[in-house]
Each structure stands twice: as structure tokens, then as C-alpha cells.
């Protein structure tokens, strides 16, 4: 597939997800934290019913990188763990599936906190 088309799909899907978030911020009284949580929950629900994976396969990073992709990873991890471990998988699957991403976020957050000093707002 042409590289330009791949980039276009990634940009379009990621941009649409961002635009929806911006519309929710502008047009509703939802806080950004609630919108981010809604994105994760939407990813879980769409992943659980099998609708998110085809989008992720088609759009690649445009669907995987946003928080909806994190929710999808959680749902996929829980589903695999339940198939493997039964009821215990409900509690362990999400952690297993998202451990690398969470670990990277914590690690790089610490690195940035050590490298830069925050300035107090006046």
C-alpha cells in the first residue's frame, strides 16, 4: 500500500478522535478528565463487541495510540486472560495487556520530571 495513503488514514482517524474530544470540551460541561475516561470506556466497549479491532487494523496508529486504543487493549487483554485463566482473567487481563504502556508512561514521566523544573504560575 502506498505510504501516503497509510499516513492519510492514520491522520484522518486520529484527527477525528481528537476533533470529537475537542467538540465535547467546547460544547458540553464535561471536564477533560471525564472525556478522557469516556474515551477509555468507549474503547473497552467497542473492543469487547468486536468493532474496534477492524478500525485499528485499518487505521493503525491513528486508532491504537489514542485512549480508545488503550481501552481496546484492556478489553482484548481481559478476553484473552478469561479464555486462558477463567474468572481470574477478569482481574489480571487488563494489567497484563497494558503493563508495557503504563510502565513506559511512568518511566518517561519520571525522566521528564528529573530533567525539567516546573515553574510556578503567577
Amino acid at each position: 500500500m502506498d505510504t501516503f495513503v497509510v499516513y492519510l488514514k492514520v491522520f484522518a482517524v486520529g484527527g477525528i478522535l481528537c476533533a470529537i474530544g475537542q467538540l465535547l470540551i467546547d460544547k458540553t460541561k464535561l471536564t477533560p478528565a471525564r472525556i478522557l475516561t469516556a474515551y477509555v470506556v468507549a474503547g473497552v466497549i467497542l473492543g469487547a463487541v468486536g468493532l474496534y479491532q477492524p478500525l485499528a487494523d485499518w487505521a493503525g496508529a491513528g486508532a491504537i495510540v489514542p485512549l480508545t486504543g488503550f481501552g481496546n487493549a484492556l478489553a482484548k487483554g481481559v478476553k484473552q486472560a478469561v479464555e486462558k485463566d477463567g474468572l481470574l482473567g477478569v482481574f489480571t487481563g487488563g494489567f497484563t495487556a497494558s503493563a508495557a504502556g503504563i510502565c513506559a508512561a511512568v518511566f518517561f514521566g519520571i525522566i521528564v520530571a528529573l530533567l525539567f523544573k516546573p515553574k510556578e504560575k503567577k
Side-chain angles (χ1 to χ4, degrees):
M1 182 177 282
D2 185 33
T3 305
F4 177 74
V5 174
V6 172
Y7 289 150
L8 188 63
K9 290 192 297 188
V10 169
F11 181 78
V13 172
I16 288 169
L17 289 171
C18 290
I20 292 169
Q22 189 63 50
L23 284 172
L24 290 171
I25 289 171
D26 292 344
K27 302 295 183 186
T28 68
K29 292 185 179 185
L30 292 172
T31 63
R34 289 186 178 179
I35 294 169
L36 295 175
T37 303
Y39 266 47
V40 173
V41 171
V44 169
I45 293 169
L46 292 172
V49 297
L51 295 176
Y52 201 82
Q53 193 58 46
L55 177 65
D57 292 341
W58 184 78
I64 295 170
V65 172
L67 281 174
T68 49
F70 177 69
N72 179 49
L74 290 174
K76 200 171 11 174
V78 169
K79 182 179 177 184
Q80 290 171 350
V82 167
E83 290 171 357
K84 180 182 170 198
D85 301 328
L87 184 61
L88 184 61
V90 171
F91 302 105
T92 62
F95 293 116
T96 305
S98 61
I102 292 172
C103 182
V106 170
F107 174 76
F108 289 114
I110 290 171
I111 296 298
V112 168
L114 292 173
L115 293 176
F116 300 98
K117 293 194 179 246
K119 295 180 182 174
E120 196 172 311
K121 286 188 176 184
K122 294 182 181 185

mmCIF file of all heavy atoms in Angstrom, residues 5 12-13 15-16 37 46 51 53 77 79 84 94 97 103 105 110 114 121:
data_model
loop_
_atom_site.group_PDB
_atom_site.id
_atom_site.type_symbol
_atom_site.label_atom_id
_atom_site.label_comp_id
_atom_site.label_asym_id
_atom_site.label_seq_id
_atom_site.Cartn_x
_atom_site.Cartn_y
_atom_site.Cartn_z
ATOM 1 N N VAL A 5 -1.029 6.936 1.586
ATOM 2 C CA VAL A 5 -2.383 6.506 1.952
ATOM 3 C C VAL A 5 -2.411 6.031 3.403
ATOM 4 O O VAL A 5 -3.353 6.330 4.144
ATOM 5 C CB VAL A 5 -2.890 5.406 0.994
ATOM 6 C CG1 VAL A 5 -4.231 4.857 1.443
ATOM 7 C CG2 VAL A 5 -2.965 5.928 -0.424
ATOM 8 N N ALA A 12 -6.304 10.843 9.527
ATOM 9 C CA ALA A 12 -7.752 11.067 9.491
ATOM 10 C C ALA A 12 -8.438 10.491 10.731
ATOM 11 O O ALA A 12 -9.231 11.179 11.389
ATOM 12 C CB ALA A 12 -8.346 10.462 8.224
ATOM 13 N N VAL A 13 -8.131 9.260 11.074
ATOM 14 C CA VAL A 13 -8.791 8.631 12.225
ATOM 15 C C VAL A 13 -8.345 9.290 13.526
ATOM 16 O O VAL A 13 -9.179 9.617 14.377
ATOM 17 C CB VAL A 13 -8.537 7.109 12.234
ATOM 18 C CG1 VAL A 13 -9.045 6.482 13.523
ATOM 19 C CG2 VAL A 13 -9.209 6.466 11.037
ATOM 20 N N GLY A 15 -7.221 12.290 13.871
ATOM 21 C CA GLY A 15 -7.779 13.639 13.857
ATOM 22 C C GLY A 15 -9.253 13.664 14.198
ATOM 23 O O GLY A 15 -9.719 14.558 14.911
ATOM 24 N N ILE A 16 -9.990 12.702 13.699
ATOM 25 C CA ILE A 16 -11.425 12.631 14.017
ATOM 26 C C ILE A 16 -11.629 12.382 15.507
ATOM 27 O O ILE A 16 -12.480 13.010 16.137
ATOM 28 C CB ILE A 16 -12.115 11.553 13.157
ATOM 29 C CG1 ILE A 16 -12.209 12.026 11.708
ATOM 30 C CG2 ILE A 16 -13.494 11.206 13.712
ATOM 31 C CD1 ILE A 16 -12.633 10.950 10.730
ATOM 32 N N THR A 37 -11.747 9.653 30.336
ATOM 33 C CA THR A 37 -12.292 8.409 30.872
ATOM 34 C C THR A 37 -13.325 7.822 29.919
ATOM 35 O O THR A 37 -13.360 6.606 29.692
ATOM 36 C CB THR A 37 -12.921 8.653 32.258
ATOM 37 O OG1 THR A 37 -11.933 9.217 33.108
ATOM 38 C CG2 THR A 37 -13.439 7.376 32.864
ATOM 39 N N LEU A 46 -16.222 -0.847 22.602
ATOM 40 C CA LEU A 46 -16.084 -1.165 21.177
ATOM 41 C C LEU A 46 -15.173 -2.368 20.948
ATOM 42 O O LEU A 46 -15.401 -3.165 20.040
ATOM 43 C CB LEU A 46 -15.569 0.053 20.414
ATOM 44 C CG LEU A 46 -16.531 1.230 20.327
ATOM 45 C CD1 LEU A 46 -15.827 2.446 19.721
ATOM 46 C CD2 LEU A 46 -17.761 0.860 19.526
ATOM 47 N N LEU A 51 -15.885 -4.268 17.488
ATOM 48 C CA LEU A 51 -15.934 -3.204 16.484
ATOM 49 C C LEU A 51 -14.642 -2.403 16.383
ATOM 50 O O LEU A 51 -14.370 -1.794 15.353
ATOM 51 C CB LEU A 51 -17.089 -2.240 16.796
ATOM 52 C CG LEU A 51 -18.490 -2.829 16.695
ATOM 53 C CD1 LEU A 51 -19.525 -1.799 17.131
ATOM 54 C CD2 LEU A 51 -18.766 -3.304 15.291
ATOM 55 N N GLN A 53 -11.321 -3.471 16.758
ATOM 56 C CA GLN A 53 -10.167 -4.101 16.121
ATOM 57 C C GLN A 53 -10.141 -3.892 14.602
ATOM 58 O O GLN A 53 -9.075 -3.616 14.050
ATOM 59 C CB GLN A 53 -10.087 -5.587 16.478
ATOM 60 C CG GLN A 53 -8.767 -6.211 16.114
ATOM 61 C CD GLN A 53 -7.582 -5.523 16.774
ATOM 62 O OE1 GLN A 53 -7.598 -5.241 17.958
ATOM 63 N NE2 GLN A 53 -6.546 -5.241 15.999
ATOM 64 N N GLY A 77 -7.061 -7.789 26.360
ATOM 65 C CA GLY A 77 -6.306 -8.498 27.391
ATOM 66 C C GLY A 77 -7.192 -9.272 28.331
ATOM 67 O O GLY A 77 -6.889 -10.420 28.697
ATOM 68 N N LYS A 79 -10.215 -10.405 27.650
ATOM 69 C CA LYS A 79 -10.811 -11.508 26.893
ATOM 70 C C LYS A 79 -9.834 -12.687 26.786
ATOM 71 O O LYS A 79 -10.213 -13.840 27.018
ATOM 72 C CB LYS A 79 -11.207 -11.025 25.500
ATOM 73 C CG LYS A 79 -11.886 -12.080 24.666
ATOM 74 C CD LYS A 79 -12.284 -11.537 23.309
ATOM 75 C CE LYS A 79 -12.889 -12.636 22.469
ATOM 76 N NZ LYS A 79 -13.203 -12.207 21.132
ATOM 77 N N LYS A 84 -7.960 -18.046 28.976
ATOM 78 C CA LYS A 84 -6.839 -18.840 29.489
ATOM 79 C C LYS A 84 -7.023 -19.234 30.952
ATOM 80 O O LYS A 84 -6.810 -20.379 31.325
ATOM 81 C CB LYS A 84 -5.542 -18.050 29.324
ATOM 82 C CG LYS A 84 -4.316 -18.759 29.813
ATOM 83 C CD LYS A 84 -3.081 -17.888 29.651
ATOM 84 C CE LYS A 84 -1.904 -18.532 30.367
ATOM 85 N NZ LYS A 84 -0.847 -17.582 30.610
ATOM 86 N N GLY A 94 -6.401 -7.102 32.074
ATOM 87 C CA GLY A 94 -6.169 -5.700 31.743
ATOM 88 C C GLY A 94 -4.781 -5.237 32.144
ATOM 89 O O GLY A 94 -4.135 -4.486 31.422
ATOM 90 N N ALA A 97 -2.182 -6.846 29.679
ATOM 91 C CA ALA A 97 -2.235 -6.282 28.334
ATOM 92 C C ALA A 97 -1.675 -4.861 28.273
ATOM 93 O O ALA A 97 -1.129 -4.460 27.253
ATOM 94 C CB ALA A 97 -3.663 -6.292 27.813
ATOM 95 N N CYS A 103 3.994 1.167 32.121
ATOM 96 C CA CYS A 103 5.379 1.243 32.590
ATOM 97 C C CYS A 103 6.152 2.310 31.819
ATOM 98 O O CYS A 103 6.900 3.095 32.422
ATOM 99 C CB CYS A 103 6.044 -0.118 32.433
ATOM 100 S SG CYS A 103 7.732 -0.157 33.045
ATOM 101 N N ALA A 105 4.911 4.968 30.337
ATOM 102 C CA ALA A 105 4.405 6.286 30.725
ATOM 103 C C ALA A 105 4.994 6.722 32.065
ATOM 104 O O ALA A 105 5.405 7.880 32.229
ATOM 105 C CB ALA A 105 2.879 6.260 30.800
ATOM 106 N N ILE A 110 8.904 10.084 34.886
ATOM 107 C CA ILE A 110 9.950 10.310 35.882
ATOM 108 C C ILE A 110 11.161 10.984 35.242
ATOM 109 O O ILE A 110 11.729 11.926 35.810
ATOM 110 C CB ILE A 110 10.355 8.973 36.551
ATOM 111 C CG1 ILE A 110 9.222 8.488 37.446
ATOM 112 C CG2 ILE A 110 11.643 9.129 37.358
ATOM 113 C CD1 ILE A 110 9.404 7.085 37.978
ATOM 114 N N LEU A 114 12.643 14.657 36.229
ATOM 115 C CA LEU A 114 14.009 14.855 36.700
ATOM 116 C C LEU A 114 14.774 15.861 35.845
ATOM 117 O O LEU A 114 15.650 16.568 36.349
ATOM 118 C CB LEU A 114 14.763 13.521 36.718
ATOM 119 C CG LEU A 114 14.284 12.504 37.760
ATOM 120 C CD1 LEU A 114 14.993 11.174 37.558
ATOM 121 C CD2 LEU A 114 14.491 13.021 39.170
ATOM 122 N N LYS A 121 3.027 29.108 38.479
ATOM 123 C CA LYS A 121 2.188 30.067 37.746
ATOM 124 C C LYS A 121 1.930 31.266 38.617
ATOM 125 O O LYS A 121 1.716 31.164 39.810
ATOM 126 C CB LYS A 121 0.877 29.410 37.344
ATOM 127 C CG LYS A 121 0.997 28.436 36.235
ATOM 128 C CD LYS A 121 -0.377 27.992 35.782
ATOM 129 C CE LYS A 121 -0.255 27.072 34.597
ATOM 130 N NZ LYS A 121 -1.567 26.697 34.087
#
